[in-house]
Amino acid sequence: GAGVSQSPSNKVTEKGKDVELRCDPISGHTALYWYRQSLGQGLEFLIYFQGNSAPDKSGLPSDRFSAERTGGSVSTLTIQRTQQEDSAVYLCASSLAYQRLASYNEQFFGPGTRLTVL
Amino acid sequence: AQTVTQSQPEMSVQEAETVTLSCTYDTSESDYYLFWYKQPPSRQMILVIRQEAYKQQNATENRFSVNFQKAAKSFSLKISDSQLGDAAMYFCAYRSRLSGNTGKLIFGQGTTLQVKP
């Protein structure tokens, strides 16, 4: 079956422009995560969606970052007025619904979008 | 807050040899998962192995095994009979099982593994 897909694969933009990054999760996965991987650093959590529940936005680094998930499927991460420090690989992951005491549900990752802000 | 530390930015191993990647973590929780992920140049993160904190037995997946020391908060990955395809960046990650947690992963900085033929 199809895995998690992300588009575009690479994005080059100029400082100050807005960008949109797209994630298509695995069909049937209700949990969706966005992570950011900056050069030389590990991945940092950005935002989490679970079904129709309010998203956990605790990892978003500034109010220039926002994300939405339409119809419980596709998600879009938007970065407004991009800065050079936003350059990174943005990874999306999906899993079956997260339940604390349930059997472990693996997060499946997409190939990421490499964002370069000039 | 939980943290994960990988103190080896780069490691190198000869093909067919064994290598161990180190990871330490800090948490006040008692119930959690630990993971090792592999990230090849394609950027696709692949789960290598996971460990439930309540299990004393170390997890094993074919050539990959872990040494989980809960009291020391240490979680190392051993790769036996290294193959060229093992060359990648490896990330150690933590996930809480506490109520209210979203299942988000907390990652270390990564270790780049080079496999020499």
Side-chain angles (χ1 to χ4, degrees):
Chain A
V4 178
S5 62
Q6 294 187 245
S7 60
S9 177
N10 294 282
K11 176 73 176 178
V12 180
T13 190
E14 294 179 347
K15 178 182 174 181
K17 301 278 190 180
D18 297 352
V19 295
E20 286 188 351
L21 312 180
R22 177 187 169 105
C23 172
D24 281 89
I26 293 172
S27 178
H29 281 190
T30 57
L32 187 147
Y33 303 81
W34 282 97
Y35 296 89
R36 179 170 71 174
Q37 183 177 12
S38 302
L39 184 64
Q41 300 184 21
L43 285 74
E44 59 175 328
F45 165 77
L46 295 178
I47 189 169
Y48 160 76
F49 294 93
Q50 171 57 57
N52 295 321
S53 302
D56 174 2
K57 305 179 182 180
S58 61
L60 294 179
S62 78
D63 58 8
R64 295 186 295 105
F65 288 72
S66 63
E68 63 177 19
R69 190 176 184 193
T70 54
S73 181
V74 172
S75 177
T76 301
L77 177 68
T78 301
I79 309 174
Q80 296 179 311
R81 304 180 302 282
T82 52
Q83 303 294 311
Q84 289 183 330
E85 61 262 29
D86 299 334
S87 295
V89 174
Y90 291 82
L91 290 161
C92 174
S94 72
S95 74
L96 294 172
Y98 173 70
Q99 297 177 41
R100 182 176 72 89
L101 297 179
S103 298
Y104 167 71
N105 289 325
E106 180 180 348
Q107 290 183 29
F108 293 85
F109 284 80
T113 294
R114 180 180 297 279
L115 175 66
T116 302
V117 182
L118 301 177
Chain B
Q2 298 81 32
T3 59
V4 178
T5 302
Q6 294 177 248
S7 59
Q8 306 157 315
E10 296 180 357
M11 291 284 284
S12 178
V13 63
Q14 206 71 32
E15 192 176 8
E17 298 285 299
T18 295
V19 64
T20 298
L21 308 184
S22 301
C23 172
T24 59
Y25 60 95
D26 189 27
T27 184
S28 59
E29 299 170 350
S30 60
D31 195 9
Y32 50 87
Y33 293 107
L34 293 166
F35 308 89
W36 280 97
Y37 279 88
K38 172 184 178 181
Q39 186 182 43
S42 67
R43 301 198 302 246
Q44 192 89 40
M45 296 282 282
I46 302 165
L47 178 63
V48 175
I49 198 166
R50 79 168 187 270
Q51 174 80 42
E52 289 89 344
Y54 64 85
K55 291 186 178 179
Q56 293 186 335
Q57 186 173 8
N58 289 323
T60 298
E61 288 287 342
N62 300 312
R63 298 183 294 106
F64 299 87
S65 62
V66 298
N67 183 4
F68 173 48
Q69 301 290 328
K70 191 173 184 179
K73 297 178 182 174
S74 170
F75 183 62
S76 61
L77 174 70
K78 185 172 81 171
I79 306 174
S80 303
D81 185 26
S82 297
Q83 301 175 359
L84 295 178
D86 295 334
M89 180 166 278
Y90 287 81
F91 290 95
C92 179
Y94 172 102
R95 194 180 103 177
S96 172
R97 292 191 71 196
L98 284 186
S99 176
N101 189 274
T102 59
K104 67 183 180 185
L105 295 165
I106 299 170
F107 288 88
Q109 303 92 325
T111 296
T112 300
L113 178 65
Q114 181 185 27
V115 181
K116 298 178 179 178

